[in-house]
Amino acid sequence: MKSLAHVFKAMLLAGVSTSVAQVAYAQKSSVDTERENIIIFSRQGDTQLNQAIPKLESLFKRTHDVKVRDDLMTLYLRTNQSAKALSLCESCAPAQFSQNELENLGKAARNEKQYDRAVAFYSQLQKQYPDNPNGWLGGALAFTETKNYNAAKNALSVYKKRFGQDNAYLDAESYLLDFTEPDMAKLGRWQRQLEQNPKNITLMRELYRLASKYNLLPLQEKLQKAYPDQFNQKDMMWFEHGKTITSSKNATTPTQQEKSFEELTALLAKINPEHPLYQQALQDRFVMGVRLNKFDEIKDDFNTLQAQPNVPAYLEEAFGDYWAAKGSPHKALAIYQSIEQQALNNKLAVSDGLLHKLSLTASDAGKFELAQQYLERMNSNVYINDYTRTSKILNPGYDSRYFGLARLALWRGNSKLAQQLIDDRLFNKTPGDPWVMLQKAELERNRGNYDDAKLWAEKAGYFLSKNDQQEARNNLAETALSQNDLPTVSKTIDAMNEEQRQSAQSLIKHYEQARSGKIVGSVGLQHRTSPISYSNESSQDYAIYTPKTANGHDLYVHYLETRSPYDKESLISRRIGVGTELNFYPLQVKMESGKGIKLNDKAYFSTEANYTLNQHWSFNLNANINGSGTPVKAINKGVYTKDIGFSTTYSYSDIFQAGLGGGVMKFDDGNLRKEANFWLNLNTFKHDRWTLTNNFRVDYSKNKTIDSAEYYNPLKATSLEFGADLSYYQPLNYGLVLNHHLKASVGAYKQAELSREKMWSISYGHQWRVGKKFGVSYEIGRKKNIYDGSAEFNNFGNLNFSIYY
């Protein structure tokens, strides 16, 4: 019985187990059937696919079946819902996914730019299913995107070894090379790939972008012709812009640069201001305009661009160039220093080009010590590494630094050091270098040694190539211009072709400035305060000059007025005349004639001849009939004069000048005045903004005794005077330059039969220069002078101005 019971129990348990298994199988079969039906339905079209996904999502939510999850991921990938695929089981480890899921998840992670997750999925796929090519291929792509290029190469190596070098491999390898290969190598590879597959529009566009980056115009034009339907009008304007910029960068002559500027101007007229290219073209046109000094044309561009935020560094530097050229060194320096600070903040080296600009603007702003620091920071090596760092090339900034230091030494007042620096290059380091000779010529010209400057420029011309010989001729013309030798400058400019004129714009501008018409004037006022107050003594002198001819001749109108105290009243003398200046350098002649229009009722005539013998000696001869030196009190009595004078000047470089002169004046009343003088000007001290000059002068005069003479007429008189002028240079913005002057003098005066008396003067004044068109100076002071043996104390003021037109 017990045996039967055990058998029955066992049979009962077996039946129950079979029933449970059958129920579970039935349920599983039902899920698979439903899943399979949904998948079959999804394949019938896009509408059915979109309807199938919610059904499969509902089935997965109800069953959490891994096969349902697998299929759901597949549908998500088919409908570009990568994020949903990744979120299906975020807590699952990669090992919990099937082979298909790992493929899909790796692809989804790449789509969502979650490259580290993609690497994890593909790495698991490689580990669990090493024979699956997608594990190695996807891994190579994901490793590339995480910049783990060695791992990407290893994955590709395994793929090639197991599955061969098929198209999928070549595509993945190309993708890796796109990240690791230099641009020039990409250009060649992409061109070969495009030749093999010309329908690859994506590759064509990438190739065109790379060609645009390096302005490879022939390749760009080739692609435009091969794929005309892929380029619209905007693309062609970008191409035209790049073509113009490339032409500008490759331009070797000013004429070519002018052409690029005109092309860019024409392009701007075609572009809608809202288009991104308009902004870029406007910036590039401004930079070109600054380089070509086209300030009138780019004035509006400057106002527009300056108001915009976040300008690129190259445009900001062009703003600095603009202000520097417009005579605002402080503004330019602030911009350059801002660019310098940005580089230092980013731990980048400051370029020698920027340091050179910083030095020039610092010196223009009067900050000479700062300018010195910037120059010394430039690379002092003659040779530097090229961009490959495998060979040496000449340092392009070496000469700028070296010659800049020499010029700066001269500007700071150390002409001896400037001379040493240039001579060291000329005679020791690079003898026979014509460019150094031209620098030597420039230095000598700035020091007033004009013959030496010409000698070195002519010598440089023998060593320069035919194309560069114009540089020597321009240098000679600059020296001639410093001597007012306009005939020589005119001949040099007339012999230039258009290209040479474009390269000599600085010389031509200086020449045109020297030829400008001008209005000049001076006003002097003196008020005696002791021993008794008298009416003011004053003078006014004005002249209007016509523009000079090419050789330097001009005409002018001259007005002169003097007021002199006389018995508590004033004698007023006025005269007006016309004159001419004739330039036959080294001989220059000036002639003027006119008539008195107040008090003075006679005509007058004056002539003057100046002759320059050499850089040291010059001579002057002048003669007058009723000249401006005739005393007003003599004219008041109808006494007129004839006079002749001679003087010579000796100049010793920029150190000192000395002069000697004399003259004879014959009065109608029988007086014969003889005069002689000797003077010396010495540049005593100069350092940065401070300059001290001293002067010494001796005057001697002798007159006949004329009892009826009411004018000042001592029998003999000698004066001796020592003077000093301390000036301070203060450059400002907008072309304004101010010089402060503190002047003082002491001396003695000895008149025949009278005791010697001391005399002195002191004054303070300003000298303003506004660009190159206007200048004005004024001073006020007090002095003690001697008149007929009696001391007089006077307050005085002087005003001078010049306007060029």
Side-chain angles (χ1 to χ4, degrees), residues 749-762:
Y749 180 84
K750 178 67 173 69
Q751 188 173 329
E753 301 177 356
L754 296 173
S755 59
R756 186 178 66 227
E757 296 286 345
K758 295 178 181 178
M759 56 184 184
W760 53 263
S761 71
I762 187 168

Side-chain angles (χ1 to χ4, degrees), residues 198-457:
K199 294 183 179 180
N200 190 339
I201 301 301
T202 300
L203 178 60
M204 184 279 295
R205 289 174 178 167
E206 289 297 323
L207 178 58
Y208 188 85
R209 288 191 190 99
L210 190 57
S212 300
K213 178 181 178 181
Y214 292 100
N215 292 316
L216 302 176
L217 302 177
L219 178 55
Q220 290 177 263
E221 289 181 303
K222 179 181 176 182
L223 293 174
Q224 288 169 8
K225 292 177 181 178
Y227 300 88
D229 57 328
Q230 296 296 320
F231 298 94
N232 56 30
Q233 186 180 6
K234 292 181 179 179
D235 295 322
M236 299 309 294
M237 284 195 295
W238 276 106
F239 172 72
E240 189 176 342
H241 169 263
K243 190 174 182 180
T244 302
I245 297 303
T246 301
S247 298
S248 172
K249 291 179 179 177
N250 295 333
T252 57
T253 66
T255 301
Q256 292 172 338
Q257 292 178 352
E258 288 273 355
K259 182 181 178 183
S260 297
F261 182 83
E262 292 169 2
E263 290 173 349
L264 201 52
T265 301
L267 178 62
L268 267 171
K270 293 190 255 180
I271 307 173
N272 187 323
E274 301 300 321
H275 192 280
L277 176 58
Y278 185 87
Q279 176 74 7
Q280 182 64 56
L282 192 67
Q283 293 174 358
D284 293 329
R285 180 179 183 270
F286 177 79
V287 173
M288 279 191 206
V290 171
R291 193 182 307 136
L292 294 169
N293 295 324
K294 292 184 172 292
F295 300 114
D296 292 337
E297 290 93 328
I298 62 174
K299 182 178 180 181
D300 292 338
D301 299 351
F302 175 70
N303 294 331
T304 300
L305 294 170
Q306 194 181 33
Q308 296 175 350
N310 303 320
V311 298
Y314 81 96
L315 181 60
E316 191 174 2
E317 187 168 340
F319 288 161
D321 299 343
Y322 177 87
W323 283 121
K326 295 286 283 183
S328 293
H330 297 280
K331 284 180 174 286
L333 182 59
I335 291 174
Y336 293 148
Q337 286 177 328
S338 174
I339 300 171
E340 175 200 19
Q341 192 58 52
Q342 290 173 24
L344 295 175
N345 291 342
N346 294 325
K347 298 182 179 179
L348 299 174
V350 181
S351 71
D352 279 357
L354 180 59
L355 288 171
H356 191 237
K357 288 182 179 180
L358 281 161
S359 173
L360 289 175
T361 50
S363 61
D364 288 344
K367 301 180 179 181
F368 296 105
E369 187 173 349
L370 181 62
Q372 182 93 19
Q373 294 171 8
Y374 284 128
L375 273 180
E376 290 175 349
R377 281 172 56 189
M378 291 177 67
N379 193 325
S380 61
N381 296 318
V382 180
Y383 295 95
I384 58 173
N385 290 324
D386 67 354
Y387 73 99
T388 66
R389 298 190 177 277
T390 59
S391 60
K392 295 285 187 180
I393 60 173
L394 280 171
N395 177 6
Y398 177 76
D399 282 349
S400 296
R401 179 185 186 275
Y402 194 94
F403 296 135
L405 287 170
R407 291 192 197 99
L408 190 59
L410 184 65
W411 297 338
R412 300 190 72 181
N414 194 343
S415 58
K416 183 178 180 181
L417 174 60
Q419 192 81 32
Q420 287 175 348
L421 288 169
I422 297 297
D423 288 352
D424 186 42
R425 281 286 300 271
L426 188 60
F427 299 113
N428 299 323
K429 294 180 179 177
T430 55
D433 186 339
W435 301 104
V436 181
M437 294 177 188
L438 290 179
Q439 291 295 322
K440 174 74 170 176
E442 179 184 325
L443 173 64
E444 297 297 352
R445 177 172 69 247
N446 289 332
R447 298 189 65 203
N449 297 330
Y450 301 120
D451 293 345
D452 294 341
K454 291 176 184 177
L455 178 67
W456 285 109

Side-chain angles (χ1 to χ4, degrees), residues 580 582 586-592 605-613 617-625 643-649 660-664:
T580 182
L582 304 174
L587 175 66
Q588 298 177 67
V589 178
K590 181 177 181 179
M591 293 182 290
E592 180 183 331
F605 175 78
S606 298
T607 184
E608 180 179 352
N610 292 283
Y611 182 79
T612 301
L613 179 64
W617 291 99
S618 63
F619 302 92
N620 171 274
L621 180 65
N622 63 84
N624 304 277
I625 299 175
D643 67 88
I644 187 169
F646 170 81
S647 66
T648 181
T649 300
L660 180 68
V664 177

Side-chain angles (χ1 to χ4, degrees), residues 82-118:
S82 299
K84 284 190 175 182
L86 290 169
S87 66
L88 273 177
C89 190
E90 291 181 325
S91 62
C92 296
Q96 295 175 267
F97 294 111
S98 68
Q99 180 176 191
N100 187 60
E101 285 179 310
L102 289 170
E103 283 190 50
N104 283 330
L105 288 170
K107 184 178 180 182
R110 288 189 61 228
N111 290 343
E112 292 299 310
K113 295 182 170 50
Q114 298 180 22
Y115 301 124
D116 289 331
R117 289 186 72 183

Side-chain angles (χ1 to χ4, degrees), residues 648-800:
T648 181
T649 300
Y650 175 79
S651 300
Y652 184 78
S653 190
D654 56 347
I655 299 175
F656 74 85
Q657 285 185 316
L660 180 68
V664 177
M665 178 180 287
K666 183 179 180 181
F667 290 75
D668 290 348
D669 61 4
N671 184 22
L672 185 66
R673 176 175 292 175
K674 299 176 182 179
E675 296 179 315
N677 63 73
F678 171 77
W679 56 268
L680 175 67
N681 288 339
L682 179 66
N683 293 324
T684 310
F685 171 80
K686 177 174 174 56
H687 180 67
D688 293 349
R689 297 189 186 193
W690 293 97
T691 302
L692 175 64
T693 59
N694 291 100
N695 60 78
F696 169 73
R697 184 179 179 95
V698 178
D699 285 278
Y700 172 80
S701 66
K702 182 179 180 181
N703 292 272
K704 285 186 177 180
T705 302
I706 306 296
D707 294 334
S708 61
E710 292 189 0
Y711 55 90
Y712 183 53
N713 188 39
L715 180 62
K716 291 182 182 180
T718 305
S719 65
L720 179 70
E721 185 178 30
F722 295 91
D725 180 356
L726 179 63
S727 66
Y728 180 74
Y729 170 71
Q730 187 177 0
L732 306 169
N733 284 323
Y734 306 106
L736 290 173
V737 177
L738 171 62
N739 272 287
H740 302 258
H741 286 273
L742 178 63
K743 300 178 182 179
S745 68
V746 293
Y749 180 84
K750 178 67 173 69
Q751 188 173 329
E753 301 177 356
L754 296 173
S755 59
R756 186 178 66 227
E757 296 286 345
K758 295 178 181 178
M759 56 184 184
W760 53 263
S761 71
I762 187 168
S763 68
Y764 174 72
H766 291 148
Q767 182 180 16
W768 290 90
R769 189 179 77 243
V770 186
K772 296 179 179 179
K773 297 291 186 181
F774 181 70
V776 62
S777 63
Y778 49 84
E779 66 173 339
I780 57 173
R782 184 166 176 80
K783 66 180 180 179
K784 173 189 175 183
N785 59 293
I786 310 301
Y787 187 83
D788 256 350
S790 301
E792 295 183 351
F793 293 88
N794 296 273
N795 297 328
F796 66 90
N798 295 305
L799 170 69
N800 298 276

